[in-house]
Amino acid sequence: MAEHRNGNAKPSDGKASGAASPYAINLDNFTKRLKTLYSHWKEHSSDLWGSSDALAIPTPPASDDLRYLKSSALNIWLLGYEFPETIMVFMKKQIHFLCSQKKVSLLEVVRKSAKEAVGVEVVMHVKAKNDNGIGLMDAIFRAVRANSTSHDTPVVGHIAREAPEGKLLETWTEKLKNADFQLSDITNGFSDLFAVKDSTELTNVKKAAFLTSSVMKHFVVPKLEKVIDEEKKISHSSLMDDTEKAILEPARVKVKLKAENVDICYPPIFQSGGEFDLRPSASSNDENLYYDSTSVIICAIGSRYNSYCSNVARTFLIDANAMQSKAYEVLLKAHEAAIGALKPGNKVSAAYQAALAVVEKDAPDLVSNLTKSAGTGIGLEFRESGLNLNAKNDRVLKAGMVFNVSLGFQNLQTDTNNPKTQKFSVLLADSVIVGEKGPEVVTSISSKAVKDVAYSFNEDDEEEEEEKPKVKPEANGGEAVSSKATLRSDNQEMSKEELRRQHQAELARQKNEETARRLAGGGSGAGDNRGAVKSTGDLVAYKNVNDVPPPKELMIQVDQKNEAILLPIYGSMVPFHVATVKSVSSQQDTNRTCYIRIIFNVPGTPFNPHDSNSVKFQGSIYLKEVSFRSKDPRHISEVVQLIKTLRRQVASRESERAERATLVTQEKLQVAGTRFKPIRLSDLWIRPPFGGRGRKLTGTLEAHTNGFRYSTSRPDERVDIMFGNIKHAFFQPAEKEMITLLHFHLLNHIMVGNRKTKDVQFFVEVMDVVQTLGGGKRSAYDPDEIEEEQRERDRRNKINMDFQNFVNRVNDLWGQPQFKGLDLEFDQPLRELGFHGVPHKASAFIVPTSSCLVELVETPFLVITLSEIEIVNLERVGMGQKNFDMTIVFKDFKRDVLRIDSIPSSSLDGIKEWLDATDLKYYESRLNLNWRPILKTITDDPEKFIEDGGWEFLNLEVSDSDSDNSQESDQGYEPSDVQSDTGSEEEDDDSESLVESEDDEGEDSEEDSEEEQGKTWEELEREASNADREKGDESDSEEERKRRKMKAFGKARPRGAPEKRSSGGRSTGGSLPKRHKMR
């Protein structure tokens, strides 16, 4: 295990001193694992540890070679780092370390922990630089004899298979052999000790596996596809070097792991051209990648995170023949069977036996070619001894074990004319964790399905050979990949569009069936969510007449405490609650006399909310309006101002109370105790912001037991978001935006300050907005400018990393069993699929995620759940249009459709591809549709909607092809309340149309033939000119020519073009000259 290749390994020269060392031993892990070591040693002393009185583990010097040693694994497992040239001796009551002074200074911290954990004393033996250590070794041997429980010869356990390296270890091994000790091999003890991983170890394995599978999916596969597509020549060793760099730089595949913690397990393996070796010790040769027809490519890569290993291997088939396809399919089935057998309680041999059973049943002739093992245990060592997945291993599987399940067929023969493809092998490997309930494949994001690894070229090769007979026979493999990727063939592009059209046709059928079932079941309408207006009868100013303050004088008074206005009426002060006031105004005449006018809310007046008092007190008389005159203008203006202010405060309070009354009661937040610190993210802003006019403050977001809490330093600024109320969670790092954000879209509304909202967002600005006062453009080579840009990049990267760490920890929390039912996970927008559009009033960049369509930067936010979408209609789609609109129709037909306007036409193909990939049915139309009457008609008569073909009225292709059968085919599905064109112009204008345009859509005249309807204006004008020449156009009058031209234009109008008619049915012709010029 090369020390310099482990980011967490101690430098061999020990240059980092104890005081200034960047390394720190995790004492919690040390304590826990030391207890595990001693309890395991005690429990399995005779069967696994050879009844040893002492365990002697020397660690060799650092090496540039990749190697896996039990001694190095123990160092990392127990101490967190590898300590080269260090001898550790474990006894029942003592632990001895023999090493340099620098290493001793780092190990000093474990003294107390070792004493508290297992009651052992730690003894340090400091080896001087020029000392051979013999004297120190003798001291250790004396301690072994003193601590031995054996009466005769002490038994010392050692790792027999590790040969000594370096002078220190050679001296130690020689003295150990010559001492009067009985030596026992304890390799099996360490194998069993390391077999079951704790939660920290499993996290490291998962991170390593995520990196490995990400490199395979996002680097290796695209690289191979590009090489094949462009017919490049590249050697296996070059691919190996490029892939190794991708592993060592995780950012290249968008994996947020620190590069210093990452390493390779072995040099990546690439094999093709008939030369295959399925052993992990295989290497990539200098031959070029071979991707001719019926060729096979095997790729295997492994990476380590914090020294924990993971592995994945995939086989790619190029124009596979029947033999190759069958071999891969059987292997895939056998591999899945082996993984499925990895359950706690089963024997280790069950995995290989399950795979063998599949091969014997489905392809008995391939049994002899099956590898003799289905893989090995994996962890700190790439191959853990004692956990070989063969047919003879009787060890019992336990939860927490990790396996590299690697299965293959080797040296298979197939009938081809090419010697490089006659011999082939296939291999599959995945990293698998044995869980409590079953196996977990942690490298599953790299697909091994047949459709994702089988590439096809032959279909287009035959066509190319007919068109280009001079093409060299070697140049095959440059066309398309079947069901995997479209590369360079135009025919493949056409077939891809055809596939999309077929898929959309299937979606249309499914969608119509689903809509019919839903409408037959009563629909999915949502009720009216408006809260009931609070009755003025519930608003009481004074409960008793004695509570009314005594009048000082007969003047209008405002009692702010009781929210009442006291008006002098017939010598008495009559109170009115301020909520009963509708408006108040004042004016002054020329004689400096002021008037105040108060209008009250009275049941039955227009725009007055329904009040239960109108039913409750039907015989009551209401005061509608009152006016007063005064000679004191200052008092009048003061009273008006007080009434308006008080009325505004009460209205605001009652509105907030009404909003809160409609809220769903949330569970109470369970705050994490002092023992378990909450996951925290600091210095965040919130949207929507808290109310108030004070200075806005940043706050802290904390993840507690059952929800999040955001709070600022002000006690009244606090928001709790329960996990159970979260519908979607998003994390959007700043790439081209100014902010990095976390966004929560909720199931039920909550109050943020005095605002009711379903969307809560927490964000940080990644760069400061700075204005240069000097003006002018600074030089690109200005060192201050370069330094400032670097600071901004560092700040953005740090903020993004902090958010990513928070998200990862919360995702781990949500992965616990109690939250499985919530199905929560932070979703990240896919920027490469984004497009610009106008969802509200301003243009924004709208981005899909795996489950939603979102816009989270500009307010108001846009969050659309894909599973709630019925269909999508792309409107104003046509030649020459610079942009188009997208209308989203929801499954709840009582919900208004959502329009995203002004999407650039360049985004059309990408949007279609995304909609098709997410199984959303889309239609295209040339004009904007008026959706409210359409949805109303569907909900009023769902049976007729289904009978008429459901949503297919939007399908332009179907409508055009069915024009013989339906006169209304161009309009598609038309609501029944649309008037026919036989009515008057007024009736046409008043009727609701499907098309939101200035003119109503008219029918074509009955005398127009189908042939004429299909011709363009240019063709008809050309025919009219020819007819004029035949009849002698020169002899006709100017009026006659105009009349014929307008008649020709009338016949040339397309079926969808609007045409205004007079009451007599004749065309008004007002827009004809203007339309005639449009050619």
Side-chain angles (χ1 to χ4, degrees):
M1 192 175 295
E3 187 178 308
H4 78 285
R5 304 185 72 95
N6 292 324
N8 57 355
K10 182 85 173 67
S12 57
D13 56 3
K15 287 182 179 179
S17 66
S21 173
Y23 307 105
I25 295 174
N26 186 325
L27 294 179
D28 289 338
N29 271 349
F30 174 79
T31 301
K32 180 173 66 176
R33 292 176 183 175
L34 189 65
K35 286 181 180 178
T36 304
L37 170 61
Y38 271 83
S39 62
H40 193 278
W41 182 11
K42 182 179 179 181
E43 184 179 351
H44 302 281
S45 176
S46 58
D47 56 330
L48 294 175
W49 296 97
S51 302
S52 300
D53 296 307
L55 310 177
I57 298 93
T59 310
S63 170
D64 290 338
D65 297 329
L66 276 169
R67 59 185 184 179
Y68 298 96
L69 303 174
K70 283 279 189 296
S71 54
S72 299
L74 177 64
N75 276 233
I76 295 168
W77 181 78
L78 185 62
L79 302 169
Y81 307 101
E82 184 176 358
F83 286 78
E85 292 192 284
T86 300
I87 299 172
M88 297 187 292
V89 180
F90 297 87
M91 307 176 202
K92 303 295 184 182
K93 297 181 180 179
Q94 288 181 337
I95 302 176
H96 290 253
F97 290 93
L98 192 161
C99 53
S100 66
Q101 177 62 53
K102 299 292 180 67
K103 297 187 183 75
V104 167
S105 62
L106 189 61
L107 290 166
E108 284 288 344
V109 296
V110 305
R111 287 183 183 271
K112 183 179 179 183
S113 299
K115 190 71 174 175
E116 293 175 351
V118 291
V120 297
E121 177 188 357
V122 175
V123 181
M124 302 292 183
H125 302 272
V126 180
K127 176 184 168 297
K129 189 170 185 180
N130 297 321
D131 185 11
N132 59 12
I134 292 177
L136 302 175
M137 295 175 192
D138 289 337
I140 295 175
F141 289 169
R142 287 194 296 270
V144 170
R145 294 187 185 95
N147 284 273
S148 173
T149 56
S150 302
H151 297 291
D152 301 324
T153 307
V155 180
V156 176
H158 73 128
I159 303 170
R161 297 177 186 176
E162 292 188 10
E165 297 180 33
K167 289 184 178 180
L168 179 68
L169 267 65
E170 287 174 357
T171 304
W172 168 264
T173 305
E174 188 65 28
K175 284 190 67 65
L176 192 63
K177 286 181 180 177
N178 295 330
D180 55 343
F181 296 145
Q182 180 182 340
L183 299 183
S184 175
D185 187 8
I186 55 173
T187 302
N188 291 338
F190 283 120
S191 296
D192 196 69
L193 179 67
F194 297 151
V196 178
K197 278 73 175 172
D198 59 29
S199 58
T200 305
E201 293 178 285
L202 291 178
T203 299
N204 288 330
V205 169
K206 288 179 180 179
K207 289 181 178 180
F210 181 73
L211 173 60
T212 306
S213 48
S214 295
V215 170
M216 179 66 80
K217 180 179 180 181
H218 300 301
F219 180 81
V220 173
V221 173
K223 179 85 172 175
L224 292 176
E225 289 178 352
K226 186 177 180 182
V227 167
I228 297 172
D229 177 29
E230 298 176 2
E231 298 181 18
K232 288 184 177 180
K233 290 186 177 181
I234 187 170
S235 67
H236 298 135
S237 55
S238 297
L239 286 169
M240 174 192 74
D241 294 336
D242 293 343
T243 306
E244 182 173 338
K245 290 175 184 176
I247 294 173
L248 298 177
E249 299 173 26
R252 291 179 60 179
V253 287
K254 297 182 180 179
V255 174
K256 304 288 180 69
L257 295 176
K258 292 182 180 179
E260 60 265 27
N261 294 336
V262 168
D263 195 7
I264 60 172
C265 290
Y266 54 86
I269 300 171
F270 288 85
Q271 301 178 98
S272 66
E275 296 181 13
F276 298 99
D277 183 354
L278 303 189
R279 295 174 298 176
S281 58
S283 59
S284 303
N285 59 30
D286 293 328
E287 296 292 324
N288 285 337
L289 185 73
Y290 193 78
Y291 43 85
D292 206 344
S293 181
T294 66
S295 60
V296 172
I297 301 171
I298 291 180
C299 308
I301 56 176
S303 69
R304 291 191 286 175
Y305 181 78
N306 284 344
S307 298
Y308 283 84
C309 300
S310 65
N311 186 53
V312 67
R314 294 290 180 261
T315 299
F316 301 99
L317 309 175
I318 313 297
D319 282 332
N321 58 27
M323 166 69 178
Q324 292 170 330
S325 298
K326 181 183 178 182
Y328 184 83
E329 289 169 4
V330 172
L331 177 65
L332 179 61
K333 191 174 178 182
H335 192 253
E336 291 294 340
I339 293 173
L342 295 176
K343 297 177 180 178
N346 286 357
K347 290 184 178 180
V348 172
S349 57
Y352 186 78
Q353 289 167 355
L356 183 62
V358 170
V359 179
E360 288 175 340
K361 178 183 177 184
D362 294 352
D365 52 320
L366 300 181
V367 170
S368 60
N369 301 96
L370 185 67
T371 52
K372 304 307 176 186
S373 165
T376 61
I378 192 170
L380 288 167
E381 298 174 278
F382 185 74
R383 285 177 286 182
E384 293 185 335
S385 57
L387 290 178
N388 201 337
L389 295 176
N390 56 32
K392 300 177 181 178
N393 196 333
D394 290 334
R395 290 185 63 176
V396 177
L397 292 168
K398 299 177 184 177
M401 288 183 173
V402 184
F403 290 92
N404 167 33
V405 182
S406 177
L407 198 67
F409 291 122
Q410 52 195 352
N411 300 327
L412 296 174
Q413 299 283 340
T414 184
D415 295 329
T416 64
N417 297 325
N418 192 334
K420 285 197 171 185
T421 60
Q422 288 176 355
K423 189 177 179 181
F424 73 96
S425 299
V426 285
L427 176 69
L428 286 175
D430 276 302
S431 299
V432 182
I433 296 175
V434 180
E436 292 285 354
K437 297 181 180 178
E440 178 186 358
V441 182
V442 288
T443 50
S444 59
I445 65 170
S446 173
S447 176
K448 56 188 175 186
V450 176
K451 66 182 181 68
D452 292 322
V453 300
Y455 294 75
S456 177
F457 298 89
N458 280 335
E459 295 174 3
D460 296 327
D461 280 346
E462 294 172 4
E463 295 176 12
E464 262 198 28
E465 286 172 6
E466 292 173 7
E467 296 174 20
K468 302 178 182 179
K470 294 182 181 180
V471 174
K472 294 180 180 180
E474 292 88 347
N476 48 13
E479 267 59 54
V481 174
S482 172
S483 72
K484 175 67 177 172
T486 299
L487 300 179
R488 296 188 302 130
S489 169
D490 293 336
N491 293 328
Q492 185 69 14
E493 283 290 347
M494 292 172 60
S495 65
K496 184 177 178 181
E497 179 64 31
E498 183 63 30
L499 284 172
R500 191 164 68 195
R501 191 177 290 113
Q502 291 174 4
H503 185 222
Q504 284 292 309
E506 176 63 20
L507 286 177
R509 185 187 63 79
Q510 295 174 3
K511 182 58 63 179
N512 284 331
E513 290 177 359
E514 177 194 328
T515 307
R517 286 195 302 270
R518 198 169 65 251
L519 291 174
S524 58
D528 190 355
N529 292 326
R530 292 174 297 179
V533 177
K534 186 158 184 172
S535 167
T536 53
D538 298 336
L539 298 169
V540 178
Y542 304 104
K543 294 181 179 179
N544 193 298
V545 70
N546 297 325
D547 296 337
V548 179
K552 300 176 184 177
E553 49 186 327
L554 291 176
M555 295 176 64
I556 299 176
Q557 297 178 25
V558 179
D559 184 356
Q560 295 191 13
K561 181 180 178 183
N562 293 293
E563 300 173 350
I565 306 167
L566 300 167
L567 302 180
I569 299 177
Y570 293 115
S572 301
M573 300 300 289
V574 181
F576 294 85
H577 197 282
V578 73
T580 62
V581 175
K582 184 176 182 180
S583 65
V584 58
S585 60
S586 64
Q587 65 182 43
Q588 187 175 352
D589 62 12
T590 55
N591 298 326
R592 296 184 61 80
T593 302
C594 288
Y595 296 90
I596 182 171
R597 182 185 183 196
I598 302 173
I599 301 175
F600 295 94
N601 287 315
V602 179
T605 55
F607 308 110
N608 186 61
H610 176 73
D611 192 346
S612 60
N613 285 327
S614 59
V615 179
K616 194 174 180 180
F617 307 111
Q618 293 186 3
S620 301
I621 298 174
Y622 290 87
L623 183 63
K624 183 177 181 181
E625 180 183 328
V626 64
S627 298
F628 292 90
R629 184 178 60 190
S630 172
K631 292 289 186 181
D632 187 354
R634 197 173 77 174
H635 177 255
I636 289 296
S637 62
E638 184 180 334
V639 165
V640 169
Q641 189 62 38
L642 284 172
I643 293 175
K644 285 183 176 180
T645 303
L646 184 59
R647 183 171 169 273
R648 191 162 51 242
Q649 291 173 353
V650 172
S652 175
R653 188 194 67 211
E654 291 303 318
S655 174
E656 183 179 343
R657 183 182 296 171
E659 291 284 1
R660 290 185 181 276
T662 61
L663 295 177
V664 176
T665 304
Q666 302 288 333
E667 60 182 313
K668 191 175 180 181
L669 183 73
Q670 299 175 17
V671 179
T674 54
R675 185 178 175 186
F676 301 101
K677 291 184 179 179
I679 307 169
R680 181 172 298 173
L681 197 58
S682 304
D683 298 326
L684 303 179
W685 300 98
I686 185 173
R687 287 197 290 186
F690 292 110
R693 298 184 179 181
R695 185 172 66 89
K696 299 294 186 289
L697 300 175
T698 59
T700 300
L701 181 67
E702 297 176 341
H704 291 275
T705 306
N706 64 335
F708 295 101
R709 169 165 287 178
Y710 174 83
S711 58
T712 69
S713 56
R714 296 192 181 111
D716 58 330
E717 293 185 348
R718 192 170 74 182
V719 176
D720 291 343
I721 303 173
M722 300 298 107
F723 293 156
N725 192 31
I726 297 175
K727 187 175 184 181
H728 300 294
F730 304 100
F731 162 51
Q732 182 169 311
E735 292 185 18
K736 296 182 180 179
E737 300 85 10
M738 297 285 289
I739 61 173
T740 294
L741 61 88
L742 299 177
H743 188 98
F744 298 102
H745 184 65
L746 308 178
L747 293 166
N748 301 304
H749 290 85
I750 63 170
M751 298 298 291
V752 177
N754 56 1
R755 298 188 188 184
K756 182 179 176 182
T757 182
K758 263 191 177 183
D759 288 278
V760 186
Q761 186 179 107
F762 307 99
F763 68 95
V764 171
E765 294 176 349
V766 297
M767 62 178 71
D768 300 322
V769 181
V770 180
Q771 185 176 4
T772 306
L773 298 178
K777 190 174 180 181
R778 297 170 68 175
S779 169
Y781 302 101
D782 183 354
D784 292 338
E785 184 82 5
I786 294 171
E787 185 180 350
E788 184 178 330
E789 289 178 358
Q790 184 60 42
R791 279 200 304 269
E792 287 180 353
R793 278 195 296 270
D794 292 343
R795 172 179 164 82
R796 181 174 66 245
N797 292 338
K798 182 181 183 304
I799 290 173
N800 287 346
M801 187 58 71
D802 290 343
F803 272 69
Q804 183 69 60
N805 291 337
F806 179 84
V807 166
N808 290 342
R809 293 180 66 189
V810 172
N811 279 338
D812 291 341
L813 175 65
W814 284 343
Q816 295 178 5
Q818 63 267 36
F819 300 120
K820 287 288 186 184
L822 301 179
D823 193 23
L824 289 176
E825 187 176 8
F826 274 99
D827 210 349
Q828 195 161 330
L830 307 169
R831 288 191 61 87
E832 59 273 14
L833 299 178
F835 55 90
H836 289 275
V838 183
H840 300 293
K841 293 183 179 179
S843 179
F845 189 63
I846 301 160
V847 193
T849 72
S850 60
S851 60
C852 295
L853 185 65
V854 301
E855 191 286 304
L856 305 174
V857 177
E858 304 295 335
T859 53
F861 305 121
L862 177 72
V863 179
I864 303 169
T865 306
L866 299 184
S867 60
E868 295 176 357
I869 296 177
E870 176 76 5
I871 59 154
V872 174
N873 195 42
L874 306 176
E875 303 180 347
R876 294 195 303 113
V877 175
M879 298 296 291
Q881 294 281 2
K882 291 184 178 179
N883 48 48
F884 65 97
D885 306 327
M886 177 193 289
T887 300
I888 296 173
V889 182
F890 297 99
K891 292 179 179 178
D892 178 4
F893 291 156
K894 293 185 180 179
R895 181 177 172 185
D896 281 342
V897 300
L898 182 103
R899 281 265 302 272
I900 301 175
D901 297 326
S902 302
I903 303 172
S905 294
S906 57
S907 301
L908 181 60
D909 285 339
I911 290 175
K912 286 182 182 178
E913 189 68 31
W914 167 68
L915 290 171
D916 191 62
T918 51
D919 291 339
L920 285 175
K921 175 60 185 168
Y922 67 84
Y923 293 94
E924 298 178 45
S925 63
R926 298 186 180 91
L927 296 170
N928 292 120
L929 302 184
N930 186 5
W931 283 94
R932 284 193 177 180
I934 294 177
L935 297 179
K936 183 177 184 300
T937 307
I938 292 173
T939 53
D940 288 348
D941 193 356
E943 289 83 3
K944 188 175 187 303
F945 169 70
I946 300 302
E947 288 173 6
D948 292 346
W951 292 110
E952 285 303 286
F953 75 89
L954 295 169
N955 193 339
L956 291 178
E957 295 178 4
V958 173
S959 300
D960 291 340
S961 62
D962 292 347
S963 57
D964 292 335
N965 302 328
S966 173
Q967 293 181 354
E968 299 176 353
S969 59
D970 288 317
Q971 284 183 321
Y973 174 72
E974 183 177 68
S976 57
D977 58 347
V978 176
Q979 300 292 328
S980 67
D981 64 340
T982 57
S984 66
E985 182 181 3
E986 293 179 359
E987 290 172 339
D988 282 345
D989 291 340
D990 291 340
S991 65
E992 289 183 312
S993 171
L994 292 181
V995 179
E996 293 180 336
S997 58
E998 294 179 1
D999 301 324
D1000 289 324
E1001 183 174 348
E1003 297 278 345
D1004 292 322
S1005 56
E1006 293 180 3
E1007 66 270 11
D1008 290 345
S1009 68
E1010 184 176 344
E1011 181 183 353
E1012 290 172 341
Q1013 291 172 13
K1015 293 179 180 178
T1016 64
W1017 294 341
E1018 288 83 353
E1019 291 171 343
L1020 289 164
E1021 192 170 351
R1022 199 181 305 116
E1023 289 180 9
S1025 299
N1026 294 335
D1028 287 342
R1029 280 196 294 272
E1030 291 175 4
K1031 293 180 181 181
D1033 188 48
E1034 293 78 16
S1035 63
D1036 291 335
S1037 64
E1038 183 72 15
E1039 182 179 352
E1040 185 69 13
R1041 285 199 300 273
K1042 283 185 179 180
R1043 184 180 63 78
R1044 275 205 299 268
K1045 188 176 285 189
M1046 291 182 63
K1047 183 177 179 182
F1049 178 79
K1051 290 187 176 185
R1053 293 172 64 81
R1055 299 186 66 176
E1059 176 178 332
K1060 291 186 178 179
R1061 299 176 182 272
S1062 64
S1063 58
R1066 295 174 61 86
S1067 174
T1068 60
S1071 62
L1072 294 181
K1074 181 177 179 182
R1075 295 292 293 273
H1076 187 60
K1077 293 177 184 178
M1078 294 174 61
R1079 297 180 182 175

